Amino acid sequence: MKNILITGGAGFIGSHVIRLFVNKYPDYTVVNLDKLTYAGNLENLKDVENAPNYVFEKGDIVDEAFVFALFEKYAFDGVIHLAAESHVDRSIANPMEFIHTNVIGTVNLLNAAKTHWKDSSDKRFYHISTDEVYGSLGEEGLFTEETAYDPRSPYSAAKAGSDHFVRAWFHTYKLPVVISNCSNNYGPNQFPEKLLPLFINNIIHNKPLPVYGKGENVRDWLYVIDHVHAIDLVYHKGMVGETYNIGGHNEWKNIDLIRLLCKIMDIKLGREPGTSEKLITYVKDRAGHDMRYAIDASKIQEELGWVPSLQFAEGLDKTIDWYLDNPEWIKNVTSGEYQNYYREQYENR
Ligand code: NAD
Ligand code: DAU
């Protein structure tokens, strides 16, 4: 029997991690700690909420007393830390929230683990991070685990800071940590502020598709379930103190991806070919917009045997179908706060 703490389990990637761990490891008690910010939604976990090995704890990782009390209550054997403010555009508008959650929240968890894990030989603190910590690539090259950190947005700077603290707790206090840095995820349950779910939702409602700048920026897309399988492997088999890059070998220029999405949506919605593309609207670029991300995932492939399993065409198809099949989910998460966010982000841009 093991008690595992998963933070941010009501969010996009976290909810898929929770589902896999609850179903695959019935001998683990999976504790989901989540503040339920705008991005956290317990509806994402309806199918596992009554599982005997699942517990939800609402709380804030920035609240030191709460985090310490949770470690006291459950005597965790391991932590998979996903809770974060995750959207670059929000970090540009409101950086402090990102520093609180991503940096201070992470350090609170590290301190709680260090304090409670007297003998940490069989424990594990797994920190989930992003390829954005490496900065921006030109036309050539890939991010490896040796690439120097060069974060350029408040989001990536806060994630880079948290990565440094995790490594500092390993070197200084011998906390058994492992880190992975992943490229852009897509799939069901992603909040419709991120490119793909935002554009799918806007196409459904015939709203403009706001392409930043010239749409020439490149991202490396990975289906969320492939990321979750990598997380499972790194948590159980990754070497303490090591970092693993995770990516899809799947680079797309934004505008090419958007045009492909438009074509598929026209077919799925039974609209005339070219209808959705007419919604493309070029808008003011994101401040400090990183040009290109692309991951060299050979280390995790060679050492842990992980490769992405899904072809992009299949992943995109599944993703679009999920949003088309779940209008209530979209309606719920886009009511309330989202409306103000959307206005501020996109009106008069
Ligand atoms: P998300 O925004 O969908 O979910 C974040 C979750 O964290 C939400 O459930 C939210 O309620 C919770 N949370 C936020 N602040 C909290 C706090 N102070 N205390 C407790 N819970 C809090 O994020 P995501 O896209 O699922 O990303 C999860 C993690 O993976 C993040 O650490 C992110 O940096 C990292 N990551 C994401 C991607 C991606 O493409 N989405 C890629 C690489 C790495
Ligand atoms: O690379 C991993 C990162 O991927 C994660 O760490 C982040 O949490 C996640 O949000 C994502 O960051 P990006 O900034 O790359 O994702 P986003 O979906 O916001 O944007 C993808 C690309 O699309 C980017 O080049 C900006 C562009 N874009 C985005 C939005 C929301 C647009 O052109 N228009 C938009 O409205």
Side-chain angles (χ1 to χ4, degrees), residues 11-13 34-35 37 40 60-61 82 86 101 129 155 159 185:
F12 166 47
I13 303 171
D34 200 294
K35 184 180 173 184
T37 67
D60 188 341
I61 57 169
L82 296 112
S86 70
T101 288
S129 193
Y155 163 68
K159 288 298 287 187
N185 285 218

Side-chain angles (χ1 to χ4, degrees), residues 8-14 33-41 59-62 81-86 101 128-131 155 159 182-185 190 193-194 227:
F12 166 47
I13 303 171
L33 159 56
D34 200 294
K35 184 180 173 184
L36 300 183
T37 67
Y38 78 93
N41 184 358
D60 188 341
I61 57 169
V62 178
H81 173 37
L82 296 112
E85 287 293 335
S86 70
T101 288
I128 306 295
S129 193
T130 168
D131 61 358
Y155 163 68
K159 288 298 287 187
C182 189
S183 63
N184 287 60
N185 285 218
Q190 187 170 32
E193 64 190 350
K194 308 279 164 48
H227 186 192

Side-chain angles (χ1 to χ4, degrees), residues 149-342:
Y149 274 36
D150 183 22
R152 297 148 58 100
S153 73
Y155 163 68
S156 56
K159 288 298 287 187
S162 66
D163 293 10
H164 289 320
F165 279 108
V166 172
R167 291 196 184 94
W169 260 240
F170 168 67
H171 289 290
T172 308
Y173 306 113
K174 308 290 173 246
L175 196 76
V177 309
V178 63
I179 300 180
S180 60
N181 296 78
C182 189
S183 63
N184 287 60
N185 285 218
Y186 70 99
N189 303 96
Q190 187 170 32
F191 194 80
E193 64 190 350
K194 308 279 164 48
L195 181 74
L196 278 171
L198 174 73
F199 279 36
I200 292 169
N201 190 35
N202 282 11
I203 291 172
I204 294 170
H205 293 102
N206 274 309
K207 285 171 70 177
L209 305 177
V211 178
Y212 295 166
K214 295 180 178 157
E216 284 175 349
N217 305 66
V218 173
R219 296 294 182 265
D220 174 1
W221 295 92
L222 178 68
Y223 192 61
V224 63
I225 304 298
D226 273 326
H227 186 192
V228 169
H229 288 140
I231 290 173
D232 183 19
L233 265 180
V234 173
Y235 180 74
H236 289 101
K237 305 245 167 69
M239 293 270 290
V240 164
E242 290 293 315
T243 295
Y244 298 88
N245 279 357
I246 305 170
H249 310 292
N250 182 35
E251 289 182 54
W252 283 82
K253 206 180 260 190
N254 288 343
I255 191 65
D256 295 339
L257 174 57
I258 292 159
R259 289 207 173 105
L260 173 66
L261 177 71
C262 288
K263 283 199 180 74
I264 304 173
M265 291 296 289
D266 282 346
I267 295 166
K268 292 207 184 264
L269 294 170
R271 293 179 182 166
E272 281 291 308
T275 309
S276 301
E277 266 203 45
K278 292 202 187 100
L279 298 170
I280 290 177
T281 312
Y282 291 92
V283 299
K284 192 168 144 228
D285 208 352
R286 175 185 278 174
H289 196 172
D290 288 339
M291 183 45 83
R292 176 173 163 255
Y293 305 144
I295 282 276
D296 175 350
S298 48
K299 178 176 173 180
I300 188 169
Q301 177 172 352
E302 281 157 22
E303 295 185 11
L304 304 182
W306 177 86
V307 280
S309 68
L310 217 65
Q311 292 299 310
F312 189 52
E314 194 187 340
L316 197 54
D317 200 61
K318 273 167 142 12
T319 303
I320 295 170
D321 284 348
W322 187 86
Y323 285 96
L324 290 175
D325 291 345
N326 288 279
E328 278 303 308
W329 185 93
I330 306 185
K331 199 169 150 212
N332 290 345
V333 301
T334 57
S335 59
E337 186 268 355
Y338 182 85
Q339 297 300 325
N340 296 334
Y341 163 79
Y342 195 90

Side-chain angles (χ1 to χ4, degrees), residues 2 71 75-78 112-125 173-176 240:
K2 285 196 162 148
F71 271 74
F76 295 117
D77 299 285
K114 166 178 161 277
T115 305
H116 287 87
W117 292 349
K118 300 291 179 235
D119 170 13
S120 65
S121 50
D122 60 346
K123 307 282 198 286
R124 174 138 312 194
F125 189 106
Y173 306 113
K174 308 290 173 246
L175 196 76
V240 164

